[in-house]
């Protein structure tokens, strides 16, 4: 699979096609495990009736079905107690058939998400949010990496493999410092030998930093924040943001069309980071399976 050019000239860093490639690889790997009588399993826990969360969960289950990973959905009402949710996580922690546990966020307001995430066994934490996994990432040690930043890295690796360039040594600017996206993203880019600048809501002039970047990862949660004049000619732009516009269509944190005329590569929204996040969740499930059962299986 090769990325194709947009009308503006930049290569379209196609997350949907990349995710499909990843899922094909995972399907092959899972089917050889199934032939040996084994099957990795993912438990997805959804609490409350948030419609967006229900859609995300459905996509995750569907992707499991496609690759042969066993999925179990636990749908709990918003009235579920803290004790009941923690007890369910304990059961899944002890269930040998379950390799990955994903608690769909956000949880209803009566729950402390940090407490719930901390209850998931780190070796089943396929979201990569457990402190042990975040710490491993900071220390450059093996662990489960948060799916969205892991997906961005896969897109960047493929972009540079196709164009013959090298991510190593590039100046990367990450816009956003959340624990789930911006911070792990910055650490992964650092691991890939980039020089990394992290901008956030208190950065006085994010545009000035962005203009100096060879690679921009936009994860600010602000629709079309990154304008064409924020982007250096030939830069590579990955858009993590996702926003529903008034006309019902989706857009990202990047002003896509104008930026396609300036950047060398750009990921679209939709069809960019979103599908990659799901693909990396399944990749993490298989990694968790292998790590728990030893690399031989
Ligand atoms: P968040 O709200 O937790 O964090 C946003 C970060 O951006 C904060 O650190 C904030 O300081 C920074 N920020 C806000 N405005 C800024 C500005 N003007 N300049 C510089 N920095 C600014 O959000 P998040 O969970 O990290 O998600 C970010 C975006 O990515 C959201 O749009 C979210 O929906 C999207 N997202 C997409 C996926 C996916 O799979 N595609 C996954 C996770 C998040």
């Amino acid at each position: 699979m090769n990325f194709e050019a947009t009308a503006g000239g930049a290569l379209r860093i196609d997350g949907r096609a990349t995710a499909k490639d990843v899922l094909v690889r995972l399907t092959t790997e899972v089917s050889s495990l199934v032939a040996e009588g084994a099957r990795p399993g993912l438990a997805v826990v959804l609490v409350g009736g948030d419609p967006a969360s229900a859609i995300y969960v459905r996509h995750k289950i569907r992707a499991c079905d496609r690759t042969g990973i066993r999925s179990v959905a636990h749908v709990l009402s918003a009235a579920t107690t803290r004790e009941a949710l923690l007890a369910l996580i304990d059961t899944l922690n002890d269930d040998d058939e379950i390799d990955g546990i994903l608690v769909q966020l956000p949880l209803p307001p009566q729950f402390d998400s940090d407490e719930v995430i901390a209850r998931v066994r780190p070796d089943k934490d396929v979201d990569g949010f457990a402190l042990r996994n975040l710490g491993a990432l900071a220390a450059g040690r093996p662990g489960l990496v948060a799916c969205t930043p892991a997906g961005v890295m896969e897109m960047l690796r493929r972009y540079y493999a196709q164009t013959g360039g090298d991510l190593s040594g590039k100046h990367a600017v990450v816009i956003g410092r959340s624990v789930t996206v911006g911070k792990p993203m910055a650490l992964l880019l650092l691991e890939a030998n980039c020089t990394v600048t992290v901008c956030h809501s208190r950065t006085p002039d994010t545009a000035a930093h962005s203009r100096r970047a060879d690679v921009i990862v936009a994860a600010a949660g602000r629709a079309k924040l990154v304008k064409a004049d924020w982007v250096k000619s030939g830069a590579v732009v990955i858009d993590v943001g996702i926003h529903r516009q008034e006309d019902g269509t989706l857009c990202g944190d990047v002003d896509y069309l104008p930026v396609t005329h300036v950047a060398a590569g750009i990921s679209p929204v939709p069809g960019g980071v979103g599908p990659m996040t799901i693909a990396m969740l399944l990749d993490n499930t298989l990694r968790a399976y292998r790590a728990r059962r030893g690399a031989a299986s």
Side-chain angles (χ1 to χ4, degrees):
M1 183 268 303
N2 267 344
F3 298 132
E4 288 172 10
T6 60
L11 279 188
R12 186 172 182 275
I13 304 176
D14 186 335
R16 200 169 280 142
T18 307
K20 215 165 154 188
D21 270 7
V22 173
L23 294 185
V24 167
R25 171 178 60 79
L26 292 176
T27 305
T28 309
E29 293 184 29
V30 171
S31 73
S32 64
L33 288 175
V34 170
E36 295 162 15
R39 190 187 289 277
L42 173 69
V44 182
V45 180
L46 174 64
V47 188
D50 177 49
S53 293
I55 292 171
Y56 291 142
V57 165
R58 214 176 311 136
H59 284 156
K60 289 166 186 174
I61 302 279
R62 207 178 299 151
C64 280
D65 292 346
R66 223 180 299 156
T67 51
I69 290 177
R70 194 169 73 90
S71 64
V72 189
H74 293 269
V75 181
L76 310 180
S77 91
T80 300
T81 62
R82 163 185 174 273
E83 289 70 24
L85 178 56
L86 295 180
L88 171 62
I89 292 172
D90 288 343
T91 305
L92 296 171
N93 279 339
D94 293 339
D95 186 341
D96 205 40
E97 302 283 297
I98 295 297
D99 301 288
I101 302 169
L102 177 138
V103 181
Q104 185 66 44
L105 300 177
L107 288 168
Q110 74 267 30
F111 294 99
D112 173 356
S113 308
D114 289 343
E115 179 189 37
V116 174
I117 290 164
R119 194 70 162 229
V120 175
R121 263 174 61 161
D123 60 347
K124 294 191 178 188
D125 164 45
V126 283
D127 251 340
F129 296 164
L131 293 184
R132 194 178 91 184
N133 285 318
L134 290 168
L137 179 60
R141 310 273 305 165
L144 291 164
V145 175
C147 305
T148 299
V152 172
M153 290 307 292
E154 185 66 28
M155 291 162 85
L156 287 172
R157 263 193 292 272
R158 285 178 188 235
Y159 171 83
Y160 283 106
Q162 178 176 330
T163 57
D166 193 356
L167 181 57
S168 175
K170 295 285 186 291
H171 177 206
V173 171
V174 179
I175 307 178
R177 61 169 165 183
S178 71
V179 175
T180 48
V181 185
K183 280 183 191 165
M185 189 71 250
L187 289 166
L188 285 169
L189 289 163
L190 208 50
E191 257 327 276
N193 300 318
C194 291
T195 303
V196 183
T197 302
V198 181
C199 297
H200 48 81
S201 54
R202 305 288 178 91
T203 302
D205 191 353
T206 297
H209 293 287
S210 176
R211 269 181 218 117
R212 284 193 287 272
D214 302 311
V215 175
I216 300 168
V217 179
R222 300 275 180 270
K224 300 187 179 177
L225 175 74
V226 177
K227 308 289 181 208
D229 66 358
W230 285 38
V231 179
K232 180 171 79 176
S233 173
V236 177
V237 182
I238 305 287
D239 193 349
V240 179
I242 181 149
H243 310 274
R244 178 81 55 192
Q245 303 184 96
E246 272 177 14
D247 64 1
T249 60
L250 296 174
C251 75
D253 283 3
V254 177
D255 198 6
Y256 183 77
L257 279 178
V259 174
T260 59
H261 292 273
V262 186
I266 182 168
S267 72
V269 178
V273 175
M276 283 305 291
T277 297
I278 296 181
M280 298 323 280
L281 169 70
L282 303 197
D283 189 55
N284 269 351
T285 304
L286 193 55
R287 280 174 200 269
Y289 170 89
R290 290 193 197 284
R292 280 198 325 116
R293 281 157 223 252
S297 58

